[in-house]
Amino acid sequence: QVQLVESGGGLVQAGDSLRLSCAASGRTRNNYAMGWFRQAPGKEREFVAAISWSGSNPYYGDSVKGRFAISRDNAKNTVYLQMNSLTPEDTALYYCAASRYLSTTTRMTDYANWGQGTQVTVSS
């Protein structure tokens, strides 16, 4: 079993940046894609970004494309989400997840392990 712990969330103003981290522990392995999802109050969980096991082929949701960047450091078992030009619409609980597969995927059902989430709040 893989345990995932997110960190880096907080309260920021519109236009600010944040970097989220997700540290994996337990039965870690590098041959799986990683993803970030978010869920705002009263809304469904949505895909934010994903990256393949090798760190290539990052893929983003339309609402964050051009502002967010996902990366990973397999030596540290950590995946990152750099978030720039934040808006109040980015306010949500952000979850890190480990996929069952090598390649990037946007489907939540493809992700076997999930963290507890880190809160990001953007004020206007």
Side-chain angles (χ1 to χ4, degrees):
Q1 186 78 348
V2 175
Q3 289 80 44
L4 302 174
V5 178
E6 303 95 336
S7 62
L11 173 63
V12 298
Q13 293 186 330
D16 286 351
S17 298
L18 274 177
R19 189 176 81 153
L20 305 183
S21 299
C22 173
S25 61
R27 298 182 65 181
T28 58
R29 50 184 173 83
N30 291 327
N31 56 336
Y32 50 80
M34 294 291 294
W36 286 95
F37 292 77
R38 67 186 183 184
Q39 187 166 18
K43 295 186 177 181
E44 293 186 352
R45 192 171 298 189
E46 68 169 340
F47 170 77
V48 175
I51 191 166
S52 70
W53 70 275
S54 66
S56 62
N57 300 321
Y59 190 78
Y60 301 94
D62 289 341
S63 61
V64 307
K65 203 171 295 183
R67 299 186 299 122
F68 290 13
I70 188 171
S71 61
R72 67 189 295 167
D73 184 338
N74 288 340
K76 297 182 178 179
N77 291 321
T78 301
V79 64
Y80 305 96
L81 184 68
Q82 177 67 42
M83 306 187 296
N84 300 324
S85 302
L86 286 162
T87 74
E89 288 69 38
D90 295 315
T91 295
L93 189 59
Y94 283 72
Y95 296 92
C96 170
S99 171
R100 298 181 176 87
Y101 309 111
L102 298 174
S103 301
T104 55
T105 174
T106 65
R107 293 190 298 268
M108 283 189 287
T109 53
D110 288 341
Y111 290 84
N113 303 102
W114 293 79
Q116 294 299 308
T118 184
Q119 179 67 39
V120 172
T121 303
V122 184
S123 64
S124 58

